[in-house]
Amino acid sequence: MIGVLLENKKKTYAQYRMIEDIFFDCLSNMDLFEKDDFEKNVTYSRWCTGDRPIPKEILSFYDNAGFDGIQNNIQDDVIPNLINVPATRELLLELVADSVDVIGTKKADEFARITDDAELITALIRYAILNDHDSKHTLLSPDLSDILLSNRLPSANCYFIGRKEELKAVAKALQDHNPVFITGTAGMGKSELVKTYAKKNEKKYTNIIHLFYGGDLKKCVAHMEFSDDTADMSEEMLFDKHMRILKKLHSDSLIIIDNFNVLPKEDAFFKEFIKLNCKILVTSRCNISQYETIKISEMDADTELIELFYKHCPSAKSSQDVVKEIIQTVGCHTLTVCLSALSLTASGMEPEELLAELKTCGLNITSGEDVELYKDDDFTDGLMIEHLSKLLQLGKLSNQQLDILRNLSLLPVSGVIKNSFKNWMKLDNLTDVNHLIKYGFINEDTDNKKISLHPLLQEVIAIETMPTVTACSTLLDNLHLICLAHGLELRRPENVIASLISVTERIIVDDGAYFLLFLQDVFPYLDKYLVSDYLPKLTERISYVMEEYKLESPCDKALLLDYKAECFLLKKDYGNAVKKREKAINIMEKLHTKDADMRTTNLLSNLYNNLSNTYLLMKQGNEAAKALRTAFNIRIEYAHLGLTESHDSLQQMMNLINMLLLAKDVDNAKIVLEQYETLVLEHLSDTSLDYGICKLSQGIIDMMERKPEAAEINLLGAESIIGNAVGTDNDYMRTTYRYLNNLYARWKKPEKAIEYRDKFLGVNRGISRTKSSRRR
């Protein structure tokens, strides 16, 4: 309870001051009051965190004297030092609602009826310090199953065997310690162990949340997906919101941080994260000393690994001695043992032949130069990678299957949605993907409908298959098309965002011109979804490709300047942003002739539009209107090229609407939306996709203005029009479903909220048919 007050106090209001202000009547007569600030602060911190109980002298004092003094102190000293009193009150009442199982409905209703803020805070403090502290009740976590759309427990491997002692050790360690680390070398089965533990103990925990560590724990939290996340939330806003939810979890909830392959001190947020009250289980390849650790070593070669081998290759039971030798040859490495057995089945080889092939792997350890080819100068890791490379070669995979692995090696190790991958690769069916799953090359998480490569296999496959721009053109083309889509979203499509960044980082460039076009369209897509921290790095990548491949057309130069301007906007350096955009416009104005082509005129119009948005942020309305008018005039001037009919014209207006909504300028957003609707009805029809988007936008504005009835009418209208225009398998319909789910959840219509949540979850990600506002 005191934690809510501390989180919402002014920075200048020290913790020890707050505690002294609350309990002043009692503390002023105690020896503690005379001690120095540091010593008092340490003592008070222990009371606040629950490490030490509030002294009996204080309990007795207020039990006898009453709490009027506390209420006066809170009114006079504490409340004036709170940043936002209504928000603090709301959080306190949320805490009461979350504690109903402990305090009872009657007591919770009693608190909720208190209207005076000081009286409410006093009543909660009174209950907290005089409550039965010997009660065996513990606070329960809120059930997140209805609002958490991601980070749920992945599927456990059906072939998991052994590790019984390790599973017991995990259970015991979590009882006595927090956090607990599971450590061991790559491919030893750490992730499978924690997934199996979680699966076996699912009923024990209210929530089990699985975070796949991608190098930044803060980002992992921000990238969680909750049903009420919205597209106008920056990564920082999402992080703050998600952490508020996680802080409500208690010891009946478990968070798994998988693949945390750094030392805790290397992630600045880790120390803060483990202060959460829930249980935390971490897998890592690192040697950890400062936290409770369970080290996973090789499974027993004569029992468990033999059994594991036979599970994947039953026909090998007649060659037990050879199987034992295969296991020893691959160093009793769990992943390699599994793939050896699966490769034996797939290839049709005899066990003796496989053993002979595996024995041909090896490194020349007499020369240090050879070993340096491998990470960390580790001979064992290098040998393991050679064995995995050999098994990949022995798998007798078709060209199509190798192509699937090649493209999957570009995508995030955390996994991608299986059906999205099918669409991106234009596969007629999933037969080859399922074949690769069956033979262990691809991991499948059936519960979350995702596929992925083991990190070690991803490294091997990338070396063996060479994922270049040319070789992976189908995947790139379809991700490119997604970038060229425009529209509104209730939340960020993390599956696509993570894939775009991963491809950008991993692909081998053998076609600079095409890759530049790809990167140029990735930028506005990530910008639209506020992936702001990656944009400067992406701008550097674009600049490098232009320089490396001598791609310096006026359009390319102007576009790069526009993206650099956007990076200045992220730092709120509006002056430099204007300079970059004006410089880009000067380059393009030289091509502003009667013979200009569509790309030139379209980009010039968009540059003026973007300059308008910059002036809007600077609150220079006249300059913003002038630049936007120029953008429209250019489209009218080149109407013969089809610019007025293109969606860019409408999208410029939608960009402006979005900017106004982000600035909470709803009145002006409604004015622009009226113009948007007029244009759509004049040039298209009231059954077009764009009119559906118009109704969706109006519904969003209605929700912002707290008009649920009007929002419902417009969002249901959007659902009908968009469905008739382009069906349900698209981002617009997903967005409509999410807003309807959010509306009904807020409007206390649970059955309708569940209906639209299920509709949202049932929609496959489709590729939208419209063009981006940044299309060249």
Side-chain angles (χ1 to χ4, degrees):
M1 183 267 154
I2 206 73
V4 173
L5 297 179
L6 291 172
E7 283 182 13
N8 289 277
K9 71 177 180 63
K10 294 176 181 175
K11 288 183 178 179
T12 54
Y13 191 43
Q15 174 181 274
Y16 78 89
R17 283 273 314 281
M18 177 185 281
I19 301 302
E20 285 190 348
D21 284 345
I22 291 173
F23 298 124
F24 180 81
D25 299 339
C26 179
L27 288 175
S28 59
N29 295 314
M30 292 175 64
D31 292 340
L32 182 60
F33 194 76
E34 302 301 325
K35 296 187 177 179
D36 63 58
D37 291 346
F38 175 78
E39 191 171 352
K40 286 191 290 187
N41 201 27
V42 170
T43 302
Y44 297 156
S45 291
R46 288 171 176 166
W47 297 357
C48 294
T49 59
D51 290 340
R52 294 284 187 276
I54 293 177
K56 288 182 180 178
E57 299 96 306
I58 294 180
L59 303 183
S60 300
F61 178 89
Y62 288 106
D63 202 16
N64 294 322
F67 282 75
D68 289 346
I70 284 185
Q71 184 167 333
N72 292 334
N73 295 340
I74 288 171
Q75 183 67 59
D76 297 339
D77 300 316
V78 177
I79 286 180
N81 281 293
L82 296 178
I83 297 169
N84 186 329
V85 178
T88 305
R89 177 187 177 85
E90 189 176 330
L91 289 170
L92 288 170
L93 289 175
E94 277 185 27
L95 178 62
V96 170
D98 292 340
S99 309
V100 166
D101 290 340
V102 176
I103 68 177
T105 305
K106 183 178 178 182
K107 179 57 73 173
D109 290 343
E110 183 184 316
F111 288 134
R113 286 194 294 270
I114 300 174
T115 56
D116 182 80
D117 296 322
E119 185 183 347
L120 172 64
I121 295 172
T122 304
L124 290 173
I125 289 175
R126 182 182 187 282
Y127 183 82
I129 67 172
L130 297 182
N131 175 25
D132 178 7
H133 294 279
D134 294 325
S135 170
K136 293 181 181 178
H137 287 299
T138 55
L139 287 177
L140 298 177
S141 305
D143 186 350
L144 303 182
S145 58
D146 287 338
I147 61 170
L148 180 61
L149 301 179
S150 67
N151 306 94
R152 298 187 181 184
L153 184 64
S155 310
N157 194 320
C158 61
Y159 288 119
F160 185 88
I161 64 164
R163 302 289 192 196
K164 291 180 181 178
E165 292 306 313
E166 287 90 339
L167 287 168
K168 288 179 186 176
V170 172
K172 175 79 169 60
L174 282 172
Q175 277 183 356
D176 303 331
H177 304 277
N178 204 37
V180 173
F181 275 78
I182 310 295
T183 65
T185 57
M188 201 58 72
K190 300 181 296 295
S191 298
E192 291 304 326
L193 177 71
V194 296
K195 284 190 286 185
T196 300
Y197 168 81
K199 205 57 130 178
K200 287 180 179 291
N201 293 275
E202 232 171 344
K203 293 181 179 178
K204 176 180 174 181
Y205 295 103
T206 303
N207 305 286
I208 300 179
I209 298 172
H210 183 275
L211 299 175
F212 191 93
Y213 185 73
D216 188 327
L217 188 53
K218 212 168 183 180
K219 284 184 181 297
C220 290
V221 173
H223 294 175
M224 295 174 74
E225 298 175 55
F226 287 89
S227 58
D228 56 349
D229 291 344
T230 59
D232 61 352
M233 288 181 175
S234 66
E235 195 165 82
E236 188 175 344
M237 292 165 66
L238 288 168
F239 168 77
D240 290 339
K241 173 178 173 289
H242 297 168
M243 276 303 291
R244 283 199 299 272
I245 295 171
L246 295 182
K247 284 178 180 178
K248 295 181 180 181
L249 302 182
H250 299 286
S251 58
D252 62 326
S253 290
L254 173 68
I255 296 180
I256 295 169
I257 307 175
D258 199 6
N259 200 50
F260 190 78
N261 297 325
V262 295
L263 293 172
K265 66 181 180 182
E266 293 176 36
D267 190 297
F269 181 60
F270 184 78
K271 264 194 171 179
E272 187 67 28
F273 187 82
I274 61 174
K275 291 179 183 177
L276 292 173
N277 292 322
C278 58
K279 294 294 183 181
I280 298 173
L281 189 57
V282 189
T283 70
S284 178
R285 296 182 198 173
C286 300
N287 290 319
I288 308 296
S289 57
Q290 66 269 51
Y291 299 106
E292 181 67 14
T293 302
I294 298 170
K295 188 171 177 62
I296 302 300
S297 55
E298 298 88 357
M299 297 170 73
D300 187 273
D302 294 328
T303 55
E304 294 175 326
L305 287 178
I306 289 272
E307 184 184 348
L308 188 64
F309 197 100
Y310 291 158
K311 271 204 171 189
H312 292 91
C313 183
S315 62
K317 288 182 179 178
S318 59
S319 306
Q320 186 172 348
D321 291 340
V322 179
V323 169
K324 283 185 177 181
E325 198 171 347
I326 290 172
I327 290 170
Q328 292 298 329
T329 300
V330 298
C332 301
H333 182 251
T334 311
L335 175 64
T336 319
V337 168
C338 290
L339 281 175
S340 298
L342 291 166
S343 297
L344 189 59
T345 304
S347 64
M349 298 171 70
E350 292 298 322
E352 291 81 2
E353 293 177 86
L354 177 64
L355 177 60
E357 290 285 355
L358 289 171
K359 281 187 172 181
T360 63
C361 293
L363 296 174
N364 178 12
I365 57 173
T366 59
S367 167
E369 292 178 2
D370 292 329
V371 180
E372 285 174 6
L373 292 171
Y374 301 99
K375 271 186 177 178
D376 306 321
D377 298 334
D378 191 321
F379 175 78
T380 304
D381 282 357
L383 190 56
M384 191 191 308
I385 288 170
E386 284 215 358
H387 283 138
L388 291 171
S389 298
K390 175 68 74 174
L391 292 171
L392 184 66
Q393 295 163 13
L394 296 176
K396 292 193 174 179
L397 302 179
S398 66
N399 289 334
Q400 170 86 334
Q401 290 162 354
L402 284 170
D403 192 49
I404 287 169
L405 291 176
R406 177 186 296 112
N407 284 273
L408 199 52
S409 75
L410 292 174
L411 298 175
V413 183
S414 56
V416 292
I417 295 171
K418 188 177 183 181
N419 201 55
S420 294
F421 183 73
K422 173 178 177 284
N423 293 335
W424 298 346
M425 291 295 294
K426 289 195 175 300
L427 301 175
D428 294 329
N429 54 59
L430 288 165
T431 303
D432 285 314
V433 173
N434 291 331
H435 175 88
L436 291 165
I437 291 168
K438 180 180 177 183
Y439 288 108
F441 291 109
I442 294 177
N443 296 327
E444 181 174 27
D445 175 5
T446 53
D447 290 350
N448 292 292
K449 300 178 181 177
K450 283 186 171 185
I451 56 173
S452 63
L453 295 176
H454 188 282
L456 266 182
L457 272 176
Q458 184 184 51
E459 186 178 337
V460 170
I461 288 166
I463 293 169
E464 294 292 325
T465 63
M466 297 291 287
T468 63
V469 169
T470 305
C472 300
S473 59
T474 302
L475 174 68
L476 252 65
D477 284 347
N478 284 288
L479 286 173
H480 198 171
L481 279 173
I482 292 172
C483 292
L484 292 171
H486 75 76
L488 293 165
E489 285 284 347
L490 184 56
R491 64 171 182 83
R492 306 192 317 175
E494 293 296 348
N495 185 52
V496 176
I497 290 170
S499 297
L500 287 169
I501 292 174
S502 185
V503 167
T504 299
E505 296 281 327
R506 296 177 187 277
I507 201 160
I508 300 168
V509 181
D510 63 346
D511 184 343
Y514 177 78
F515 190 55
L516 177 62
L517 288 174
F518 175 77
L519 294 178
Q520 286 171 337
D521 285 322
V522 168
F523 188 101
Y525 187 84
L526 297 184
D527 187 26
K528 180 172 72 174
Y529 293 112
L530 305 175
V531 190
S532 53
D533 62 314
Y534 191 72
L535 295 182
K537 189 173 183 180
L538 182 57
T539 303
E540 290 175 8
R541 185 86 163 123
I542 291 170
S543 180
Y544 170 79
V545 172
M546 286 174 61
E547 186 177 337
E548 181 72 14
Y549 292 92
K550 303 293 185 281
L551 300 166
E552 296 181 337
S553 72
C555 285
D556 291 331
K557 287 180 179 178
L559 203 56
L560 179 60
L561 286 166
D562 187 43
Y563 292 166
K564 286 181 177 179
E566 198 67 28
C567 292
F568 277 119
L569 283 185
L570 297 175
K571 297 183 286 187
K572 297 186 178 180
D573 186 349
Y574 302 129
N576 275 319
V578 168
K579 287 178 184 177
K580 292 291 182 187
R581 287 196 161 133
E582 286 179 341
K583 188 175 180 181
I585 287 170
N586 288 336
I587 291 173
M588 296 308 297
E589 280 289 1
K590 294 173 184 176
L591 305 177
H592 189 173
T593 65
K594 63 179 182 179
D595 300 321
D597 60 19
M598 187 168 184
R599 184 190 182 196
T600 300
T601 51
N602 198 36
L603 177 55
L604 181 58
S605 176
N606 284 338
L607 286 170
Y608 276 109
N609 178 72
N610 296 337
L611 181 62
S612 170
N613 290 341
T614 308
Y615 281 128
L616 190 67
L617 288 171
M618 298 169 74
K619 302 189 185 304
Q620 295 183 17
N622 291 335
E623 294 297 326
K626 181 181 175 182
L628 188 61
R629 197 175 302 114
T630 305
F632 285 130
N633 287 339
I634 290 170
R635 294 194 174 279
I636 293 168
E637 181 184 352
Y638 293 94
H640 62 281
L641 296 177
L643 256 64
T644 53
E645 287 80 20
S646 78
H647 275 87
D648 278 357
S649 183
L650 291 172
Q651 187 57 27
Q652 285 178 349
M653 298 188 76
M654 185 53 68
N655 281 349
L656 186 55
I657 292 167
N658 288 337
M659 290 291 296
L660 291 166
L661 291 178
L662 282 170
K664 308 298 181 188
D665 189 352
V666 176
D667 292 336
N668 281 321
K670 288 194 287 188
I671 292 171
V672 180
L673 184 59
E674 285 177 16
Q675 297 174 19
Y676 180 95
E677 184 175 2
T678 301
L679 278 173
V680 170
L681 292 175
E682 183 178 334
H683 295 285
L684 300 168
S685 72
D686 60 2
T687 60
S688 65
L689 171 63
D690 289 278
Y691 192 67
I693 295 169
C694 182
K695 301 298 281 185
L696 173 57
S697 304
Q698 185 58 59
I700 294 167
I701 290 174
D702 291 333
M703 286 183 70
M704 292 181 71
E705 293 189 316
R706 300 182 184 278
K707 297 177 181 177
E709 293 89 351
E712 182 184 36
I713 292 169
N714 281 304
L715 291 173
L716 290 175
E719 179 187 16
S720 173
I721 295 167
I722 293 170
N724 290 333
V726 292
T728 60
D729 189 13
N730 57 77
D731 283 337
Y732 300 116
M733 192 60 92
R734 287 170 61 84
T735 303
T736 307
Y737 288 157
R738 288 196 62 128
Y739 272 105
L740 282 164
N741 164 253
N742 190 253
L743 172 70
Y744 288 127
R746 288 191 201 173
W747 208 10
K748 308 298 183 188
K749 292 189 175 183
E751 291 183 4
K752 298 292 288 183
I754 290 169
E755 176 189 339
Y756 280 97
R757 182 198 66 188
D758 292 343
K759 281 187 176 183
F760 166 77
L761 293 173
V763 173
N764 293 323
R765 290 176 182 270
I767 296 175
S768 181
R769 303 174 186 180
T770 51
K771 302 293 182 183
S772 167
S773 64
R774 302 256 191 178
R775 184 74 186 272
R776 288 163 299 286

